[in-house]
Amino acid sequence: MAEPFVSFLSFLLKTQPDYALSHPRQKPFSDTSRQAMRKKITVILQRSRPTPTTDAPRLQRFLSIYTDYLESKLMNSANSEEEYSNPRDLEVRVHYLLKEVKELYNRFRDTSDRLSLLPDTLITQILLYLPTKDSIKTKFISKRFKDLWLQVPGLEMHSHEPAAIQNFIATFLRINRGSRLQKFKITYNGRNVCSQGNSEFIAGVVNRGVQQLDVGSSTHKRPLTNDLVHVNIYKSNTLVSLKLANVGMQNPPELGVSLPCLKTMHLEDITTKDPLIVEKLISGCPVLEDLTVFRAFDDNVPVMRVRSLSLKRFCVKLSRARIIHGKEYAVEVDAPGLKYMNFGDNLSDRVVAKNLSSLFKVDIDAQFSFGITTTITVQMKQAIISDFLKGVSGVRHMIISQPTLESLYSWMNNGAFTKFSNLTRLEVSFCTVLLQRLPHFLEGFPKLKHLTLNLLYLKDLEPENLELTVVPQCLLCTLECVEVKEVATVEKAGKKRARYIKRTKVSKHMKKIWIEVVRYILENSLVLKKLVLCFSSVTNSVLEISEALPTFTIRSPGCEIINNLTSL
């Protein structure tokens, strides 16, 4: 048997998981069972392959390694010792595994041949995209790969035991003394990461000129320390991407923040003693382009100010899952170069958006509920929301969730809804009870060309009828494409965003409501080129779409109607 195949078997054997880890709830196999299994496998292998007359030691080595691998594979896939008690079942399974190994080896050989043509520098860049534990496994591929993983300019670790991880990282950095790291990612499993040296070795990584730094917790629970991230992170001349999740940050130095190369920053559930931490970070990043902030109810940052000339993408989330009574939250966005914004803040009492002249797309998924203990009146709430909408009124593409639309209901009643004069593409989720205000809502988009209408059915709030009489300007002059989609039914308005989740039984009453929406669009759109209907098979049957469409008057000549079925 060729030596490369034996080496490949050794590689497969070393990458096999331990049975105790694969089956934590199963009783491990006894030594007697394992020995019996090995004997049976050896007999099957000898019977399936003719025994050569020469090179007996190499044959014995091959059989030993092959038997070890097959035994490990069979044990890991078995649920009990009795599963392979039948010799015939065992032989069938072994032959299946033999075929599987041959196919894996052929693919492995083809890949190895292609990799062998690449220089080491390119291979290490490829390995940079793998977690470090997988990168290490490549040392079994061939002699060339034995130490190649040590040259990978990055580490991606998942820490179960902080002390062991520290030792490994220290060894890796010592071997690569003098070289820069492109990427360093460490994910803590659990909260107990406050052992001595964690902050120091992160500081050491930053001092080594790391470009991508990612530190976080996999359990969504903060580590039991508030200074995991060292202060030298605020003075890195090489950082390009920074992601911190569920960690505490030390206060910035008195001389301020200086991150001249940072372009991407992701802050999720961080804690700090400095209430101006986000503002200071942004001000120290002259080329920042992408900012994501998942705010925490206790992050000690009541007012988050985002002021940047270079920022192009901004996402903010703050849920009402947990709050501090009496605490007021606010968010201010002042970014002339901002192009994309995702706003999901459900708790701030003050929302300010200004100087957003470059804004192209905004996704609003907020109820504007404000703090439950604040004294904001209805008039003040309306003024705050109105100012926010005016701040983003120059946008060209907008997505509005059903909870957000419900919060804007009062504007649709009195006709004072903000005008979006530049907007050409709109995706909005309407529950049945709000469909009566659809024409008034569309009056705010006089240049609309593409409308995606997500329809939700609220069982407890279905209207008796739907009378749509007002025709907005966009239907008469600009609207060219409409998509009407059925989305998940929600039990109560304002609780969930429209998503394709599951199919629900459609009420007969929905027939009159949704068919009227389709009729209204076809009979009042003068320049419509395409109407796409996406309903589930159940809804399609109840609404009787095929029978209803020929009865409508289509005002736009040549309008294409596409009736698609969708699964929810």
Side-chain angles (χ1 to χ4, degrees):
M1 175 56 61
E3 191 65 29
F5 186 68
V6 176
S7 300
F8 176 70
L9 286 176
S10 300
F11 167 69
L12 290 182
L13 181 61
K14 292 175 181 179
T15 57
Q16 282 296 301
D18 184 75
Y19 181 84
L21 296 177
S22 303
H23 303 76
R25 297 183 180 181
Q26 295 288 342
K27 182 180 179 180
F29 286 85
S30 65
D31 292 339
T32 303
S33 299
R34 299 185 76 97
Q35 291 176 3
M37 176 74 77
R38 289 180 59 83
K39 290 181 179 179
K40 294 177 183 178
I41 293 174
T42 303
V43 171
I44 295 172
L45 286 176
Q46 291 176 337
R47 188 165 60 246
S48 62
R49 305 181 65 86
T51 304
T53 57
T54 60
D55 207 359
R58 180 171 295 183
L59 174 64
Q60 292 301 321
R61 180 169 176 263
F62 162 72
L63 289 176
S64 176
I65 294 177
Y66 220 157
T67 302
D68 289 342
Y69 170 72
L70 293 174
E71 176 207 359
S72 174
K73 192 76 173 177
L74 290 169
M75 291 295 183
N76 283 333
S77 61
N79 295 317
S80 65
E81 294 186 3
E82 293 77 20
E83 186 164 330
Y84 298 119
S85 58
N86 188 316
R88 179 56 183 168
D89 291 341
L90 178 62
E91 186 166 359
V92 170
R93 179 61 177 164
V94 167
H95 281 294
Y96 173 81
L97 289 176
L98 292 175
K99 182 180 179 181
E100 184 182 75
V101 169
K102 290 179 181 178
E103 293 176 353
L104 285 173
Y105 177 67
N106 290 332
R107 291 201 298 268
F108 168 80
R109 186 174 54 187
D110 293 341
T111 303
S112 299
D113 292 341
R114 289 194 293 269
L115 285 175
S116 63
L117 301 176
L118 302 178
D120 288 355
T121 53
L122 183 55
I123 294 177
T124 55
Q125 287 296 319
I126 295 173
L127 297 181
L128 183 62
Y129 290 93
L130 297 177
T132 300
K133 66 176 184 179
D134 295 331
S135 177
I136 294 175
K137 293 177 183 178
T138 61
K139 69 179 182 180
F140 301 112
I141 293 178
S142 66
K143 292 182 179 180
R144 180 189 177 191
F145 280 80
K146 182 178 180 181
D147 297 321
L148 203 57
W149 69 272
L150 288 169
Q151 302 175 30
V152 176
L155 287 171
E156 182 176 335
M157 314 291 295
H158 193 103
S159 174
H160 296 275
E161 299 180 5
I165 291 295
Q166 285 184 40
N167 294 333
F168 176 85
I169 294 174
T171 303
F172 183 89
L173 296 178
R174 186 170 60 253
I175 294 174
N176 291 276
R177 186 183 300 107
S179 62
R180 285 190 173 185
L181 289 181
Q182 293 184 26
K183 181 179 74 171
F184 180 81
K185 178 179 180 180
I186 184 165
T187 304
Y188 291 106
N189 183 24
R191 307 182 68 189
N192 187 24
V193 297
C194 53
S195 58
Q196 292 291 331
N198 280 333
S199 179
E200 285 69 20
F201 81 72
I202 292 178
V205 168
V206 175
N207 292 335
R208 292 286 290 269
V210 68
Q211 297 177 9
Q212 302 174 38
L213 180 61
D214 186 338
V215 181
S217 171
S218 63
T219 60
H220 302 289
K221 293 181 179 180
R222 298 192 191 105
L224 298 176
T225 177
N226 289 324
D227 57 357
L228 183 62
V229 181
H230 199 272
V231 291
N232 73 335
I233 197 176
Y234 301 114
K235 294 292 184 180
S236 171
N237 293 323
T238 58
L239 266 181
V240 176
S241 174
L242 173 63
K243 181 177 180 180
L244 303 175
N246 304 296
V247 299
M249 298 184 67
Q250 299 185 35
N251 292 343
E254 294 182 359
L255 297 178
V257 177
S258 178
L259 299 170
C261 298
L262 192 68
K263 292 186 177 182
T264 302
M265 181 160 55
H266 181 112
L267 306 175
E268 182 175 346
D269 196 14
I270 63 169
T271 56
T272 178
K273 296 178 181 179
D274 189 349
L276 301 178
I277 183 69
V278 176
E279 188 173 355
K280 291 178 180 179
L281 280 171
I282 295 173
S283 64
C285 303
V287 296
L288 184 65
E289 296 181 355
D290 194 334
L291 174 64
T292 300
V293 182
F294 287 12
R295 303 181 66 187
F297 75 102
D298 60 346
D299 59 8
N300 197 34
V301 185
V303 180
M304 189 181 70
R305 295 183 178 91
V306 179
R307 298 171 180 170
S308 173
L309 296 175
S310 60
L311 193 64
K312 295 180 180 180
R313 291 172 293 275
F314 174 54
C315 173
V316 59
K317 302 288 184 180
L318 177 59
S319 70
R320 292 175 54 88
R322 299 175 68 183
I323 64 172
I324 297 178
H325 293 276
K327 182 177 180 180
E328 295 187 358
Y329 302 83
V331 58
E332 300 178 6
V333 184
D334 184 350
L338 190 66
K339 295 182 180 295
Y340 306 96
M341 180 166 69
N342 189 324
F343 187 83
D345 190 327
N346 282 320
L347 200 58
S348 289
D349 305 280
R350 185 161 53 91
V351 182
V352 178
K354 57 183 179 181
N355 296 327
L356 303 182
S357 56
S358 301
L359 193 63
F360 175 79
K361 180 179 179 180
V362 61
D363 185 343
I364 308 175
D365 185 15
Q367 294 176 258
F368 297 102
S369 300
F370 305 107
I372 62 174
T373 59
T374 58
T375 57
I376 291 182
T377 63
V378 175
Q379 291 76 16
M380 294 172 62
K381 176 179 177 179
Q382 291 182 350
I384 292 172
I385 298 177
S386 179
D387 289 342
F388 172 74
L389 292 177
K390 288 179 181 178
V392 300
S393 60
V395 71
R396 295 173 176 82
H397 182 184
M398 183 160 61
I399 301 174
I400 301 180
S401 69
Q402 185 269 328
T404 301
L405 193 66
E406 185 183 0
S407 299
L408 305 178
Y409 185 74
S410 59
W411 276 266
M412 291 185 283
N413 279 332
N414 58 33
F417 190 71
T418 303
K419 292 284 186 181
F420 293 81
S421 301
N422 297 327
L423 193 138
T424 59
R425 192 178 187 95
L426 173 66
E427 179 178 343
V428 60
S429 300
F430 264 90
C431 61
T432 49
V433 73
L434 295 180
L435 279 174
Q436 187 65 51
R437 311 308 303 173
L438 174 62
H440 300 280
F441 176 73
L442 293 179
E443 286 183 335
F445 311 96
K447 296 182 180 179
L448 184 64
K449 291 185 177 181
H450 192 293
L451 171 64
T452 299
L453 191 61
N454 296 323
L455 298 181
L456 295 88
Y457 178 67
L458 298 179
K459 182 178 180 181
D460 299 333
L461 297 174
E462 61 180 40
E464 294 184 1
N465 52 54
L466 186 65
E467 296 180 2
L468 305 177
T469 56
V470 177
V471 181
Q473 179 181 344
C474 62
L475 264 69
L476 299 174
C477 303
T478 61
L479 192 60
E480 297 178 351
C481 180
V482 176
E483 294 182 61
V484 182
K485 299 180 179 180
E486 176 188 2
V487 294
T489 297
V490 292
E491 295 300 325
K492 187 176 180 181
K495 292 300 181 183
K496 296 181 181 177
R497 186 172 183 176
R499 297 292 188 199
Y500 291 88
I501 305 176
K502 60 182 180 180
R503 181 166 58 90
T504 56
K505 187 175 182 180
V506 183
S507 168
K508 288 286 185 179
H509 187 75
M510 189 188 298
K511 175 181 177 180
K512 180 167 53 175
I513 302 297
W514 287 7
I515 281 293
E516 179 61 21
V517 173
V518 176
R519 184 203 63 79
Y520 170 77
I521 293 172
L522 285 174
E523 296 187 356
N524 292 283
S525 301
L526 301 184
V527 294
L528 189 65
K529 296 180 180 179
K530 181 185 293 186
L531 173 65
V532 181
L533 305 177
C534 297
F535 296 117
S536 67
S537 57
V538 174
T539 304
N540 221 34
S541 175
V542 172
L543 299 185
E544 300 176 350
I545 295 291
S546 301
E547 292 77 9
L549 285 175
T551 65
F552 298 152
T553 301
I554 302 177
R555 298 286 300 278
S556 176
C559 176
E560 180 184 8
I561 301 176
I562 302 174
N563 186 17
N564 293 330
L565 294 179
T566 183
S567 57
L568 302 183

